[in-house]
């Protein structure tokens, strides 16, 4: 008996054996899953357009520049700290703050890039 999962999450929430799916059931399931994907797509487009109308080529490129600046600050802070014999707790806290700022901006940038790649915005058309 072979088992297949459906869904595009990393976790398989529902398992169905091939034997359990006759052609009509498989077709209905596929249609339903396509409807869900379209509903998700439409919801994302609507909500993102409304919440972030300023997302355009110029704002995205400025965002990329800010992420690069945060990365450079983090690296610079780390190198300056590495040159010290005994970094103070304040030095360590500054490095941690620089890393957290970098990480959060990278995560936000990747999420924004995904929005563009998935077509939730009209950019790139």
């Amino acid at each position: 008996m072979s088992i297949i999962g459906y869904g595009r999450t990393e976790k398989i929430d529902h398992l169905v054996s091939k034997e359990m799916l006759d052609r009509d059931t498989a077709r209905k399931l596929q249609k339903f899953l396509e409807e869900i994907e379209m509903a998700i797509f439409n919801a994302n487009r609507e909500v993102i357009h409304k919440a972030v109308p300023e997302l355009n080529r110029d704002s995205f490129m400025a965002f990329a520049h800010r992420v690069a600046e945060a990365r450079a600050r983090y690296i610079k802070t780390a190198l300056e700290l590495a040159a010290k014999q005994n970094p103070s707790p304040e030095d360590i806290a500054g490095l941690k703050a620089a890393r957290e700022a970098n990480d959060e901006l990278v995560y936000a940038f990747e999420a924004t890039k995904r929005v563009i790649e998935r077509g939730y915005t009209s950019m790139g058309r």
Side-chain angles (χ1 to χ4, degrees):
M1 173 201 267
S2 52
I3 303 287
I4 59 172
Y6 64 87
R8 292 189 181 182
T9 62
E10 290 184 28
K11 177 182 171 191
I12 297 175
D13 294 322
H14 187 73
L15 298 174
V16 179
S17 71
K18 287 184 180 180
E19 292 79 19
M20 292 169 61
L21 291 178
D22 60 43
R23 280 194 177 140
D24 189 49
T25 304
R27 185 183 54 75
K28 286 178 184 174
L29 178 60
Q30 186 60 38
K31 185 176 188 299
F32 174 71
L33 293 174
E34 288 170 4
E35 289 170 358
I36 289 172
E37 286 295 317
M38 188 53 75
I40 292 168
F41 175 81
N42 288 332
N44 273 282
R45 270 189 72 86
E46 179 185 333
V47 170
I48 290 168
H49 276 281
K50 190 176 187 179
V52 194
E54 65 277 6
L55 179 59
N56 57 43
R57 179 175 169 60
D58 290 339
S59 64
F60 185 72
M61 297 306 283
F63 190 12
H65 193 81
R66 295 298 170 263
V67 172
E69 290 172 343
R71 185 175 295 122
R73 272 192 304 278
Y74 176 44
I75 293 167
K76 182 177 189 234
T77 303
L79 291 173
E80 289 169 351
L81 191 81
K84 292 185 175 187
Q85 285 282 36
N86 295 307
S88 70
E90 293 80 17
D91 292 333
I92 300 297
L95 179 62
K96 180 181 179 184
R99 177 184 46 83
E100 288 174 345
N102 176 68
D103 290 351
E104 290 304 320
L105 283 169
V106 167
Y107 288 131
F109 185 81
E110 289 300 321
T112 305
K113 185 177 168 195
R114 181 175 167 92
V115 161
I116 294 166
E117 290 170 346
R118 297 206 80 189
Y120 298 154
T121 179
S122 58
M123 284 180 55
R125 289 195 236 167

